[in-house]
């Protein structure tokens, strides 16, 4: 009996030990993370030298990335091939594309601007602008000049080549500057004007705004930078009239006139220094 009880207790202990080990394996497997399973599987494959599945998986991932890659324009202007869903990650500012004006709208704007210019030119020409007008006497001088915003009147004796040169220069400017009325008045018909203003000499130019004389340009001012016979005289006269507000711009000479004037200005500065 004692022997039989010893055998039973021996087998009962073995069975309890087996059950306990089985329970430990079960709880260990339940506590393992799926990621740990994958790591363990990968470790087993690396130990066995089975790399084919890993290579195929990496190749598939690379092919999928290349399929989704496109040409992406970076903010610095460079173009690179990348996934458009991730290439601009972290970009906080979106550059808006430039807005170009509609071609039709641009044409309409230019046409309206040109029509406005034509209306102004027609208005000025209707008032007699665009040519050098000869006045008969001082009464006509007052009647003609009064309604004009800007006017230039040449006073000369009609003698000598200098007067003719100035007259031709004003005729050229009258065609280019329709905003100004250009007139010529013989000195023998300007008795009141010659008594009111002390003339330095002839020819002389009077500048008027709204019918009032604002400037008197004697020969010393007219021929300060060029003689009347110089091809640069018209350009210098245009700039002078622009400076005294007789014209809205100094256009009147060629580009060589501007270059020559710049050279003369530099020469005068050098001489003074």
């Amino acid at each position: 009996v004692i022997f039989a009880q010893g055998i039973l207790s021996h087998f009962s202990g073995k069975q309890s030990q087996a059950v306990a080990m089985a329970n430990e394996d079960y709880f260990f497997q339940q506590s393992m993370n799926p990621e740990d399973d994958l790591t363990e599987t990968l470790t087993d494959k690396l130990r066995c030298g089975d790399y084919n599945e890993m290579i195929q998986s990496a190749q598939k991932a690379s092919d999928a990335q290349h399929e989704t890659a496109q040409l992406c324009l970076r903010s610095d202007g460079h173009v690179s091939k990348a996934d458009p869903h991730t290439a601009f990650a972290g970009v906080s500012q979106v550059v808006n594309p430039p807005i170009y004006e509609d071609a039709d709208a641009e044409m309409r704007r230019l046409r309206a601007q040109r029509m406005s210019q034509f209306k102004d030119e027609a208005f000025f020409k209707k008032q007699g602008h665009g040519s050098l007008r000869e006045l008969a006497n001082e009464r006509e001088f007052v009647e003609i000049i009064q309604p004009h915003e800007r006017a230039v009147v040449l006073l000369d004796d009609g003698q000598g080549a200098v007067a003719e040169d100035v007259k031709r220069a004003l005729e050229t400017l009258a065609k280019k500057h329709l905003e100004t009325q250009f007139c010529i008045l013989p000195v023998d018909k300007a008795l009141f004007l010659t008594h009111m203003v002390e003339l330095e000499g002839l020819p002389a130019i009077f500048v008027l705004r709204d019918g009032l004389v604002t400037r008197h340009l004697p020969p010393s001012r007219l021929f300060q930078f060029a003689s009347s016979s110089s091809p640069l005289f018209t350009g210098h006269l245009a700039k002078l009239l622009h400076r005294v507000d007789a014209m809205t711009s100094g256009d009147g000479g060629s580009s060589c006139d501007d270059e020559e004037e710049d050279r003369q200005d530099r020469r005068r500065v050098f001489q003074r220094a």
Side-chain angles (χ1 to χ4, degrees):
V1 173
I2 294 173
F3 178 74
Q5 290 178 351
I7 293 176
L8 289 175
S9 62
H10 174 74
F11 281 106
S12 297
K14 291 290 185 179
Q15 184 177 5
S16 299
Q17 186 178 2
V19 171
M21 293 179 63
N23 290 334
E24 289 180 1
D25 293 338
Y26 173 77
F27 286 113
F28 177 74
Q29 292 177 0
Q30 291 295 326
S31 62
M32 287 186 63
N33 198 326
E35 295 181 357
D36 296 337
D37 294 339
L38 295 176
T39 304
E40 187 177 356
T41 302
L42 179 60
T43 303
D44 293 340
K45 290 183 177 181
L46 291 175
R47 290 173 179 174
C48 299
D50 186 7
Y51 304 106
N52 293 331
E53 185 177 351
M54 291 180 58
I55 295 174
Q56 291 178 0
S57 176
Q59 186 65 37
K60 288 180 181 179
S62 177
D63 294 342
Q65 184 177 4
H66 283 291
E67 289 178 359
T68 58
Q70 299 178 7
L71 293 178
C72 300
L73 179 62
R74 304 288 183 175
S75 59
D76 58 356
H78 292 84
V79 178
S80 61
K81 194 171 184 181
D83 186 357
H85 297 90
T86 58
F88 304 101
V91 178
S92 59
Q93 230 175 5
V94 179
V95 180
N96 296 325
I99 301 176
Y100 297 98
E101 187 176 358
D102 185 17
D104 295 337
E106 175 69 11
M107 290 298 297
R108 288 193 296 269
R109 186 183 65 80
L110 294 176
R111 190 178 296 112
Q113 182 178 358
R114 188 60 178 164
M115 289 299 296
S116 176
Q117 183 179 355
F118 284 150
K119 289 180 181 179
D120 293 340
E121 291 179 359
F123 173 76
F124 288 134
K125 287 182 178 180
K126 189 177 180 180
Q127 290 187 324
H129 294 203
S131 61
L132 182 63
R133 184 170 182 174
E134 187 170 354
L135 304 176
N137 49 48
E138 289 181 324
R139 180 180 179 181
E140 187 178 7
F141 165 77
V142 175
E143 294 176 352
I144 295 299
I145 298 303
Q146 185 65 35
H148 298 279
E149 180 182 3
R150 289 181 173 87
V152 172
V153 179
L154 171 64
L155 190 67
D156 75 328
D157 53 6
Q159 299 178 3
V162 175
E164 289 298 323
D165 292 336
V166 177
K167 182 179 178 180
R168 281 193 296 268
L170 290 179
E171 288 175 347
T172 302
L173 296 178
K175 297 176 182 178
K176 293 185 177 182
H177 294 274
L178 298 179
E179 73 278 5
T180 304
Q181 173 72 68
F182 289 84
C183 300
I184 180 172
L185 179 64
V187 68
D188 57 347
K189 303 293 180 65
L191 301 179
F192 178 76
L193 189 60
T194 54
H195 283 82
M196 290 294 296
V197 179
E198 184 178 355
L199 298 177
E200 177 187 302
L202 295 175
I205 290 180
F206 291 91
V207 177
L208 296 92
R209 285 296 303 269
D210 299 319
L212 301 177
V213 177
T214 59
R215 290 288 191 279
H216 166 223
L217 304 177
S220 59
R221 293 287 304 278
L222 298 179
F223 311 122
Q224 182 178 3
F225 301 118
S227 64
S228 62
S229 59
S230 171
L232 306 177
F233 174 70
T234 302
H236 289 295
L237 180 59
K239 292 176 175 58
L240 174 61
L241 293 177
H242 175 56
R243 285 196 295 269
V244 298
D245 199 26
M247 303 187 307
T248 56
S249 70
D251 182 21
S254 60
S255 59
C256 63
D257 297 334
D258 299 335
E259 296 174 358
E260 179 63 21
E261 184 179 13
D262 293 339
R263 286 195 294 268
Q264 290 183 1
D265 292 340
R266 289 194 295 269
R267 190 180 301 115
R268 285 194 299 270
V269 172
F270 177 77
Q271 290 175 353
R272 292 175 183 173

